[in-house]
Amino acid sequence: TLTHKRSTPCTGIEYSCPIEEIKRTKSPVSVEHIHYDKFGNVRNLEIHAYPIFDREGNITQIIEYNLDISTRKRAQEDMEQSPEKLRKTLEGIINAFASITELRDPFVAGHQQRVSKLACAIAREMGLSEEQIKECRMAGMVHDIGKISVPVDILNKPGKLTDTEMDFVKGHCQAGYEVLKQIEFPWPIAEIVLQHHERMDGSGYPQGLSGEEIILEARILVVADVVEAMASHRPYRPAHDVEKALEEISKNKGIIYDPEVVDVCMRLFSEKGFELLNMER
Ligand SMILES: [Fe+2]
Ligand SMILES: [Fe+2]
């Protein structure tokens, strides 16, 4: 009887025994087997077995060899899990950045959350991919992170800002970009944040980009940003209503704002019942 140098043949209960399998099929067999060593560690084995026949076609010997593929198996599992793990880590970083702004200025934090929500809704309504919707959500969450470089008294100053103060405020796009570009996100978050005050006619800042030079997700963010900013309360002025904000975007549709983004945004509020929840913090 052919056995694995054991006194009895395998029962086949533990795993499909290659020897029993060869006896049945008369062909070479390869199986994977999980084996626990004497320390209780899991070992992954790849077992290959080949039959040797005599002239009459009877199996006289079986050559069997076992490869320990545990390391390869672990590496494979890690590879499969790592993109998902990496994504989760990066999303965690975005949330951490968002909470940094919250510590400094609760107004900015609430603003970012609502802009993020509106930007996502616009992206979804425009039929963008899940990946692009995610980009809008994340960029929205941190788009004003650069405001940590602007003195609070300037940020909350009621009335008109001086030119120097205005330059400080305008610096928040570049400052946000500088922070975010240090992390290699699989999405152009830093660029979207850099461009969230650009205008279709090229009159925006910091680069004065125009039209489609501006990333689509940034063009969405521009609209979500202005609607939220106009419709919500600020320390230096009371809230206008959403109507006023929508009036602003439709008046400047195609001039400051991407026309398609404006149409979709208008539709969200007028036909789809979209609401910027928790307008008051
Ligand atoms: Fe901004
Ligand atoms: Fe903003």
Side-chain angles (χ1 to χ4, degrees):
T1 324
L2 291 158
T3 66
H4 299 270
K5 289 183 187 159
R6 293 187 194 170
S7 51
T8 51
C10 289
T11 56
I13 292 170
E14 309 152 63
Y15 65 103
S16 70
C17 168
I19 290 183
E20 297 305 312
E21 192 69 12
I22 284 182
K23 284 199 268 185
R24 211 167 48 77
T25 62
K26 298 196 181 311
S27 346
V29 164
S30 297
V31 288
E32 268 191 36
H33 172 54
I34 295 174
H35 168 78
Y36 294 90
D37 66 15
K38 58 182 175 189
F39 304 108
N41 299 319
V42 177
R43 311 301 311 175
N44 295 81
L45 299 180
E46 203 172 73
I47 305 172
H48 299 274
Y50 300 91
I52 310 280
F53 300 97
D54 64 11
R55 287 166 193 273
E56 280 76 46
N58 301 311
I59 303 172
T60 54
Q61 276 179 307
I62 292 176
I63 300 172
E64 182 193 278
Y65 64 91
N66 298 347
L67 288 176
D68 187 333
I69 55 161
S70 309
T71 316
R72 196 221 298 166
K73 218 45 191 183
R74 293 299 100 75
Q76 213 173 353
E77 280 167 12
D78 281 353
M79 289 259 288
E80 279 160 14
Q81 282 176 8
S82 59
E84 201 37 45
K85 266 191 196 162
L86 179 66
R87 256 158 202 282
K88 288 227 159 69
T89 309
L90 293 172
E91 287 185 43
I93 292 173
I94 290 284
N95 292 337
F97 275 144
S99 43
I100 292 173
T101 5
E102 189 165 4
L103 288 176
R104 175 100 190 295
D105 185 344
F107 278 100
V108 173
H111 163 69
Q112 291 190 130
Q113 281 166 18
R114 292 184 292 266
V115 167
S116 172
K117 189 179 162 226
L118 178 54
C120 275
I122 295 174
R124 182 159 284 126
E125 184 68 18
M126 286 176 79
L128 301 193
S129 68
E130 280 305 316
E131 200 67 1
Q132 286 172 299
I133 296 169
K134 195 183 271 182
E135 278 173 30
C136 287
R137 187 178 69 74
M138 287 188 289
M141 287 294 287
V142 291
H143 74 275
D144 277 334
I145 191 176
K147 286 196 174 164
I148 50 176
S149 67
V150 183
V152 178
D153 56 319
I154 298 182
L155 276 184
N156 295 339
K157 183 180 166 181
K160 222 175 162 334
L161 300 179
T162 65
D163 286 349
T164 326
E165 288 167 341
M166 203 56 208
D167 286 344
F168 255 115
V169 174
K170 285 185 174 177
H172 81 279
C173 298
Q174 190 70 37
Y177 173 76
E178 298 300 331
V179 170
L180 294 164
K181 74 160 194 209
Q182 294 175 50
I183 298 157
E184 218 178 292
F185 291 107
W187 317 280
I189 303 287
E191 286 73 17
I192 300 172
V193 167
L194 178 68
Q195 297 180 9
H196 82 274
H197 282 280
E198 298 289 359
R199 295 168 155 198
M200 290 300 279
D201 63 0
S203 66
Y205 61 87
Q207 299 174 95
L209 301 176
S210 60
E212 293 193 358
E213 285 176 339
I214 308 163
I215 304 173
L216 174 61
E217 289 83 346
R219 281 181 263 148
I220 293 176
L221 209 55
V222 171
V223 171
D225 191 28
V226 74
V227 169
E228 200 291 326
M230 284 187 71
S232 70
H233 171 75
R234 282 287 182 281
Y236 46 86
R237 60 148 178 78
H240 302 293
D241 50 23
V242 177
E243 297 308 311
K244 258 251 169 11
L246 298 181
E247 213 178 283
E248 154 66 22
I249 57 166
S250 58
K251 194 175 74 195
N252 286 302
K253 172 173 143 180
I255 306 165
I256 298 180
Y257 312 109
D258 180 300
E260 195 196 343
V261 177
V262 169
D263 288 343
V264 169
C265 184
M266 302 289 287
R267 199 160 68 225
L268 276 180
F269 282 95
S270 60
E271 292 168 30
K272 308 265 165 157
F274 184 86
E275 275 180 50
L276 285 165
L277 288 179
N278 308 317
M279 293 297 287
E280 297 304 320
R281 341 171 354 249

